[in-house]
Amino acid sequence: PKSKQQSGTLLTSTPPTLQPNTIPSIKQIQKYSAVKMATNEETETEKKTSNKHKYRKEKPWDTDDVDHWAPIPWDPESLPHKHVLLEESSFATLFPKYREKYLREVWPVVTRALDKHNIACELDLVEGSMTVRTTKKTHDPYIILKARDVIKLLARSIPVTQALKVLNDDIQCDIIKIGGLVSNKERFVKRRQRLLGPDGATLKALELLTGCYILVQGNTVAVMGTYKGIKTARQVVLDCMKNIHPVYNIKQLMIKRELEKDPKLKNEDWSRFLPQFTKKNVQRKKVAPKKEKKAYTPFPPAQTPSKIDLQLESGEYFLSERARKVKKLAEKAAVAAEKKQLKKEAREADYVPPPSLNKKDKKKRKRDSKENEELDLEGLKSKFKKAGKKKVSFGANVTDFVE
């Protein structure tokens, strides 16, 4: 029987091995290289025909013009039965004390808005909390999460008219926590103010570019808008807390807004159009206070007197314990009496009458007042003279009105 080598096929499963410490012949080297190449070709074909995309099929309905982020409207009429939710879901959130008055006023508006979606709500003024829960009539399973967002935004000082917009399918919200991003309190306040800008100009520009409603309140930033706008606003806020000025991000957003209008640049890289800002961390040298050089002396400084030495000098050391206490109380009483007198003088300073004027000062004041009166009279005379020269309409004269 013919072997596999004689029939023209190669054994590619196990390539021939070369014996160590022997000089192989030319035929052996050629045979080894041929088998090696055949095995490499087999591995390449195996990679090409892998089962990675075996069950992946073409989707003719999934084209480029399909918006995957577009909200799908909820149609309760298409449901097979009335009751969809099997269990009750509820969410609660706390609100600060200063929001209690406002929430009490607008709570009827919130109740009416949530009743349209069959969501029950409760305001607890004792515990300081707001609660929303589903009912038996609730058919939309996602509306309870929207109601949770409404009470969260109300607790973060957002007006009720703006907070209720979250119930719409095309508006989402996000609350960004910025309190723990900066350790230094002064630096945190400075960067938060940088996000607002002068008279809120920076925040307004950011709202226009992202299409979101943004409110900076305490240690949080509340954002309302589309998914894309919220993502952009969140990145700008976090960069601001990382000491990157929001003006740089606003400039990039303005350039991107213009590039989106050009359809030719849709599939191109925009990095060549965007400005590249390098971070310059200039270290400012602190001016060290100059120390005055003391005159050199070979002798060490005098030893500071101890507590017992001071008591010996004052004679307190030889007093009894009771006498020392009496002395301390007397000293405290003297200091308290002195402070009391100073406070009394400061209070009475507001009721001290002004110093009386001398005769010379009184005469001077009278003289000044007379001069002012004379000046006023001359001014009035000149006004009347000018008015007499002007002609009044309807044939009237100035003398008819001025005596």
Side-chain angles (χ1 to χ4, degrees):
K2 291 182 180 181
S3 64
K4 289 188 178 181
Q5 285 184 350
Q6 288 174 356
S7 63
T9 58
L10 291 171
L11 289 168
T12 56
S13 57
T14 55
T17 56
L18 298 174
Q19 296 294 328
N21 300 326
T22 57
I23 300 170
S25 63
I26 295 169
K27 287 183 178 181
Q28 286 178 338
I29 292 169
Q30 288 176 351
K31 187 179 179 181
Y32 183 80
S33 60
V35 172
K36 196 75 175 172
M37 286 173 66
T39 53
N40 291 338
E41 287 176 1
E42 280 187 3
T43 52
E44 286 178 3
T45 54
E46 282 178 3
K47 286 180 181 178
K48 287 179 182 177
T49 60
S50 63
N51 294 330
K52 185 177 180 182
H53 305 294
K54 184 179 178 180
Y55 299 102
R56 186 170 291 181
K57 296 179 181 180
E58 292 184 1
K59 299 174 183 176
W61 62 88
D62 192 6
T63 55
D64 293 335
D65 58 343
V66 176
D67 187 9
H68 297 284
W69 290 97
I72 301 168
W74 178 261
D75 187 14
E77 294 178 358
S78 62
L79 297 173
H81 45 81
K82 293 181 180 179
H83 304 294
V84 180
L85 306 179
L86 300 176
E87 294 290 336
E88 182 188 279
S89 301
S90 62
F91 292 98
T93 185
L94 300 173
F95 60 86
K97 184 71 176 176
Y98 61 86
R99 292 288 290 171
E100 183 180 328
K101 185 181 177 183
Y102 178 78
L103 290 173
R104 199 187 304 168
E105 291 173 359
V106 302
W107 197 249
V109 180
V110 179
T111 308
R112 283 195 297 271
L114 293 176
D115 279 343
K116 293 177 183 177
H117 302 278
N118 299 317
I119 295 289
C121 59
E122 183 185 348
L123 177 67
D124 191 350
L125 298 174
V126 178
E127 294 182 359
S129 65
M130 294 178 282
T131 311
V132 289
R133 61 172 60 88
T134 57
T135 60
K136 291 181 180 180
K137 295 181 181 179
T138 308
H139 48 76
D140 188 354
Y142 192 71
I143 198 67
I144 185 64
L145 299 178
K146 291 276 190 178
R148 177 200 62 185
D149 293 340
V150 168
I151 59 175
K152 270 188 183 180
L153 294 171
L154 287 171
R156 298 312 308 155
S157 300
I158 288 183
V160 65
T161 52
Q162 188 69 32
L164 290 174
K165 290 180 182 178
V166 183
L167 295 172
N168 301 329
D169 291 335
D170 56 341
I171 294 177
Q172 314 300 325
C173 78
D174 187 16
I175 295 174
I176 307 161
K177 294 180 181 179
I178 58 173
L181 298 176
V182 185
S183 57
N184 192 352
K185 186 68 182 291
E186 292 179 3
R187 199 176 296 159
F188 168 72
V189 172
K190 192 176 180 181
R191 290 180 188 177
R192 188 180 61 183
Q193 185 61 34
R194 193 183 292 168
L195 185 64
L196 294 168
D199 298 328
T202 308
L203 195 69
K204 188 67 179 175
L206 194 61
E207 284 181 346
L208 291 170
L209 289 167
T210 56
C212 297
Y213 174 85
I214 305 171
L215 179 74
V216 182
Q217 175 74 17
N219 293 331
T220 58
V221 178
V223 187
M224 290 175 60
T226 59
Y227 286 110
K228 186 181 177 183
I230 288 171
K231 186 180 177 183
T232 309
R234 186 182 186 88
Q235 189 60 44
V236 174
V237 170
L238 294 177
D239 284 347
C240 183
M241 290 294 116
K242 292 175 184 175
N243 203 19
I244 299 170
H245 205 284
V247 170
Y248 298 137
N249 286 314
I250 287 169
K251 195 171 183 180
Q252 285 185 352
L253 290 171
M254 289 172 73
I255 294 167
K256 285 180 181 177
R257 197 177 189 182
E258 294 299 321
L259 292 170
E260 283 175 358
K261 296 176 183 178
D262 192 354
K264 295 177 183 178
L265 301 171
K266 187 178 181 181
N267 298 321
E268 290 189 19
D269 187 15
W270 292 353
S271 59
R272 55 197 173 101
F273 301 108
L274 299 175
Q276 303 294 330
F277 300 107
T278 55
K279 191 174 181 180
K280 294 179 182 179
N281 189 9
V282 182
Q283 291 184 353
R284 297 174 184 175
K285 292 182 180 179
K286 293 181 180 180
V287 181
K290 292 181 180 179
K291 293 181 180 180
E292 294 181 359
K293 290 185 178 180
K294 296 179 181 179
Y296 174 74
T297 53
F299 305 105
Q303 188 178 1
T304 54
S306 64
K307 191 177 180 181
I308 296 171
D309 293 337
L310 294 171
Q311 287 179 353
L312 285 168
E313 285 179 8
S314 62
E316 189 182 346
Y317 183 78
F318 303 102
L319 295 173
S320 63
E321 192 67 28
R322 187 178 178 184
R324 285 178 192 171
K325 286 182 179 179
V326 170
K327 189 181 179 182
K328 281 184 181 180
L329 290 170
E331 288 175 358
K332 282 184 180 180
V335 172
E338 190 178 350
K339 285 183 179 179
K340 188 178 180 181
Q341 185 64 27
L342 290 170
K343 286 182 180 179
K344 188 179 179 182
E345 289 175 2
R347 284 196 301 271
E348 291 177 353
D350 298 333
Y351 303 104
V352 175
S356 58
L357 295 171
N358 298 328
K359 291 182 179 179
K360 291 181 180 179
D361 295 335
K362 286 181 180 178
K363 286 179 181 179
K364 194 176 181 182
R365 277 196 174 185
K366 283 181 181 179
R367 201 183 303 148
D368 293 339
S369 62
K370 282 180 182 179
E371 286 177 3
N372 291 334
E373 285 175 5
E374 287 175 5
L375 288 170
D376 293 333
L377 289 169
E378 288 175 3
L380 286 168
K381 285 177 183 178
S382 62
K383 280 182 184 179
F384 288 134
K385 283 178 183 179
K386 287 178 184 177
K389 290 177 183 178
K390 292 180 182 178
K391 292 182 179 180
V392 185
S393 58
F394 305 108
N397 295 324
V398 180
T399 53
D400 297 337
F401 303 100
V402 182
E403 293 180 358

